[in-house]
Amino acid sequence: MHLTRYSDYAMRVLLYLGARPERQCSIAEVAKAYGISQSHLMKVVSDLVQAGYVASVRGRTGGIRLGMPPERIVIGELVRRTEGSLALVDCANCLLAPGCGLACVLGEAMVAFLAVLDRHTLADVIARRPEALSRLMHPLS
């Protein structure tokens, strides 16, 4: 299983904002902290705003912040939203599909994967490694 860059960026944005609940941040600031493209983040943030994970204020004094408490952001739900299709293989285009037992096994594995993610929230992730998030707050030069 390999999550897309889109999911990776969505999680990074939420981690960054979750580490700074006291203030609004800019997309440029988040992009710089992670060394990733601001234009890539703009679409991700737009979708996170639409889903309610992020709140956005436009204008000179605007920015982004978490749109809900980190305890309500379930990692499994976020991954389902950002990944689109979670099919591990393309069974629809396989000649063996009618008699293959692999699809059931892979489906079971995906259910288990998502069940683990469903047990964790953004707050849990932030609490697990606060020292890693502090590096984002005080990056090494």
Side-chain angles (χ1 to χ4, degrees):
M1 174 79 201
H2 186 264
L3 295 179
T4 62
R5 182 173 293 159
Y6 194 88
S7 292
D8 177 22
Y9 288 179
M11 286 187 267
R12 289 184 195 210
V13 167
L14 295 177
L15 283 168
Y16 192 90
L17 299 178
R20 292 156 185 79
E22 72 288 346
R23 68 177 184 87
Q24 293 187 111
C25 303
S26 70
I27 293 173
E29 173 187 341
V30 177
K32 183 178 179 185
Y34 288 117
I36 57 181
S37 165
Q38 183 175 335
S39 60
H40 283 103
L41 275 188
M42 289 173 71
K43 182 176 183 340
V44 173
V45 169
S46 176
D47 286 348
L48 292 173
V49 168
Q50 184 179 9
Y53 291 116
V54 171
S56 174
V57 176
R58 293 182 176 260
R60 224 172 64 95
T61 61
I64 55 175
R65 60 179 170 71
L66 287 182
M68 61 181 70
E71 297 81 18
R72 289 192 41 221
I73 299 175
V74 177
I75 303 300
E77 291 172 6
L78 175 67
V79 167
R80 283 181 189 87
R81 179 170 182 87
T82 57
E83 280 299 306
S85 172
L86 289 169
L88 293 177
V89 292
D90 182 14
C91 293
N93 294 314
C94 178
L95 296 173
L96 299 176
C100 179
L102 185 59
C104 291
V105 172
L106 293 175
E108 184 180 344
M110 181 55 69
V111 167
F113 174 74
L114 290 170
V116 170
L117 295 180
D118 285 338
R119 291 195 316 254
H120 300 281
T121 66
L122 181 63
D124 300 331
V125 175
I126 290 169
R128 286 189 114 158
R129 301 287 182 173
E131 71 281 356
L133 291 175
S134 71
R135 280 188 227 131
L136 286 175
M137 298 172 109
H138 310 288
L140 301 173
S141 299

